[in-house]
Amino acid sequence: MFDWNNNGEYDIQDRMIDYRIYKSVTNNKKNSSSSVSGSDTMTTIGAVLLVFGILLLIGMIL
């Protein structure tokens, strides 16, 4: 549990990011027997960073 948007509270936005990371990690464990290309991994990391950036921007605006 981490305050991803640094607003001092663990709220729904933080829970959403935690859940997406959890789903990404558990999905990768299920598919670990098959080869995962580097571009798939970068896409996942890019998506997480994009969501984090958007939520940070929203937090700064509000």
Side-chain angles (χ1 to χ4, degrees), residues 36-59:
V36 177
S37 70
S39 64
D40 290 341
T41 304
M42 288 307 292
T43 303
T44 303
I45 292 170
V48 169
L49 291 175
L50 179 64
V51 169
F52 174 68
I54 290 170
L55 292 175
L56 185 63
L57 181 64
I58 290 171

Side-chain angles (χ1 to χ4, degrees), residues 4-48:
W4 291 103
N5 55 6
N6 293 323
N7 65 353
E9 300 175 356
Y10 182 69
D11 53 12
I12 190 72
Q13 294 171 339
D14 300 318
R15 284 187 219 122
M16 182 182 74
I17 294 171
D18 285 344
Y19 178 73
R20 290 182 63 106
I21 293 171
Y22 165 77
K23 289 300 283 184
S24 174
V25 168
T26 56
N27 189 26
N28 284 342
K29 283 185 180 180
K30 278 195 286 187
N31 295 332
S32 65
S33 61
S34 65
S35 67
V36 177
S37 70
S39 64
D40 290 341
T41 304
M42 288 307 292
T43 303
T44 303
I45 292 170
V48 169

